[in-house]
Amino acid sequence: MKLVPDTSVVIDGRITTLIDTGEYNGAQIIIPEAVVAELEAQANQGREIGFSGLTELQELCKLAERGIISIEFYGERPTLEQVKLASGGEIDSLIRKVAITHGARFITSDVVQSEVAKAKGLDVLYLRPQVEDFTPLAIDQFFDEYTIAVYLKERAKPMVRRGTIGKTETFIARDTLCTEYELRSMAQEILERAKRDPDGFIEIEKRGVTVVQIGSMRISIARRPFSDGMEITAVRPIVDLSLQDYSQADIIIKILLSEKPGVLITGTPGCGKTTLAQAIATYLSDSGCIVKTMEQPREMQVPDQITQYTALDGSMVNTADVMLLVRPDYIIFDELRKNDDFDVFADLRLAGIGMVGILHAVSPLEALQRMAYRIDFSALSQVFGSLIYMKDGQIQHIYSTSFSMKIPEGADNEMHIRPVTTLSELQTGDVAFEIFKFGTETVVLPIAPVEEEEAPAYEPPQETGKGLEPEKAVVAVATVQNSEPQQSEDENENEDEDEESSTWEVTERDIQREIGRYSNGEILVEMLSATKAVVYIDDRDVPAAIGKGGKNIAAIVNKVGVGIDIRPASELAKKAKVAAASAPVEKEELNLGEGLQVRIDKKQLSIISSDNTGKIVDVFAGREYLFTATVNDSGEIHLAKNSTIAQEMLRRYNEGEPIRLKTV
């Protein structure tokens, strides 16, 4: 019997399986050169299916050497033009032509190839995908109920990671080193299973790497040139929780059913983000909502009624176009990494679809920075109304977003009112982060919480005034009761001051180090509070430290987490002069000569000139005009002591310039 297999069957490895059953012993296997060329091209591109197919051909040659079958390679290699038209069926046509020429049975697992061959009048054996009776994979030997991941690499001992979310350990699975042949056999078996198993699919196929999803297990196969050796990594979830298993489930349900069902789940890899997203998807589906997922790879374990979509033609933008036609109530987006992912998430949310996104980040601050640099900060509160931070499988924080016009709390008081997006702790209402524009840069500023000091616990004294008269005993006890807590409060205050001082010193050093990249002169840092600082540097270095559009200073603010106001050192010198000029102000009266006197009290400065009562006068310091005022009926001009004009007049007087009045 003559058999002609096509490329799909050779890659599946099912020809050798049929021969091993004895059904085709003594058969003549004719391999079209087009099949060999196709497998060779795939292998040259680093695709695992190419190597899998070549391995199958080698097995057929071994069977031929043992006399079980005969094998023949026939036909011509496809031309460049035919390769370019492969997607249109040119190479498939070459393979069918070999079967027609030899009058052989044509074997395929490609349904389109099967139907075309039948239309051509060929004897076709269509091998349907195997959907049951799967034997365990070779890689399954490394898994037990506590194993999260398996790491296999040639010339290295196999490693496994066991434990639970947030607490894992890595162990050596065996002392024997993995060989390239062993890993190649595993890779071929994995690919064959992915093609046959209805719950299996190849997610990514690129030069040197293949990512396969089989059920709940995600398997990455890497080879040269992408990696320095053959490697297989298999990861699977070990925990399946419902939404009610979380302590803050009621809050999450309330968020999902609110008018702003945009939720962002963030945390480090392996902290339980996807597990929570699965629980949310299942809850929404069970509640009667239409739920879809957008994943690459598709690794979430959700009920069958939830359809899992991946990137269409390699782009989530195309998937989003389809989603707008499908019109689901909610979409679970796992995960946001590329710029297009953030754009798609925002677009779908603003279109009115409930969105739950997963974002890898070390902390909420990093998550907000990743979002704010890709989406306009003024729209963040519309894109996601809540942010959930996960750690060690538990919900650590839930923040709510809002948008308003205000002066940022963590910025200098001199900053003007501007649009600010605020993230607050949902349960306490405490502001945790503010996002606003500083020049052309977007700043994500953490706001330090104000911690309430706990009153020290009072411990009654051991002695109770024994041997004293009743009244004196009461006084003694009262004295002890009043003095001991006071002493404890003083100690606590001193400790808090020391701790605050130490923290500020560290922050000052961080600011000096960062500003020092742009200034070679002296850097003076004045900490106004835990979240505000004024920095004085050389006047010439101020533009460089601020950067174009505030880019440099915004980056420093994001890094140290403190609002910074850059000022020239000359301004500090001016302040010192003003302070020196204000020193004589403590005198109650100053005699300026020519019938002029200045009287200074706590809040007011008065210029006394009885000769100009009721007149409008110009006030000069030397030859320079200062201001114009009206002398009242008492012969006085009143100014606020701390006003700019009063301080300027005093400074000029202290520098020796005469103060005089000229009638208008």
Side-chain angles (χ1 to χ4, degrees), residues 513-528:
R513 183 179 65 253
E514 294 298 326
I515 298 293
R517 296 161 54 192
Y518 306 101
S519 176
N520 294 324
E522 183 181 1
I523 301 172
L524 178 62
V525 180
E526 181 182 344
M527 295 296 297
L528 303 180

Side-chain angles (χ1 to χ4, degrees), residues 603-607 627 629 637-641 643 645-646 649:
K603 295 183 179 180
Q604 188 171 272
L605 181 148
S606 301
I607 303 174
F627 61 94
I637 300 173
H638 297 298
L639 301 173
K641 176 183 175 182
S643 65
I645 199 164
M649 187 185 75

Side-chain angles (χ1 to χ4, degrees), residues 9 21 44 46 59 88 139 223 280 287 309 316 328 393 448 484 527 532 548 597 609 662:
V9 173
T21 62
N44 283 330
E59 292 296 324
I139 200 171
R223 63 168 69 247
I280 290 175
S287 300
Y309 293 89
M316 283 296 186
E484 288 192 358
M527 295 296 297
K532 299 178 186 177
K548 186 177 181 180
Q597 289 182 325
S609 177
K662 182 179 179 182

